[in-house]
Amino acid sequence: MWQFQRDLQNELTAEGIAAAEAEGRYRGGPPALAGDQLEEVRAAFRDEGASIAALAREHGVSRVAVRTVRADLLPDPRIPPPLTEEDAARLSPFVLW
């Protein structure tokens, strides 16, 4: 009995997700900054050094939306910078190649 209920629930969930995706409502809303606004924010942050709060006020979006745009401009923090020869020599006894 419980398997039937579980299968029915999964089927209804899948139908609901498919309907929402067809209407463009599934997995979040549209981005707060897109198109020309996106490029304006990127340029102002990169070239003029405008603050996140000022850009958010100017474009009528949240600071998080501006940080999301800014994240595309910054290097990936998970990738460490390459070691210099000096660092490699200093660390060589501890690194197993």
Side-chain angles (χ1 to χ4, degrees), residues 44-62:
F45 182 79
R46 182 181 52 238
D47 302 335
E48 301 167 19
S51 73
I52 293 172
L55 289 169
R57 278 192 302 271
E58 181 180 333
H59 293 282
V61 297
S62 68

Side-chain angles (χ1 to χ4, degrees), residues 33-53:
L33 291 168
D36 293 338
Q37 256 191 338
L38 178 73
E39 293 307 319
E40 287 175 19
V41 169
R42 283 183 176 162
F45 182 79
R46 182 181 52 238
D47 302 335
E48 301 167 19
S51 73
I52 293 172

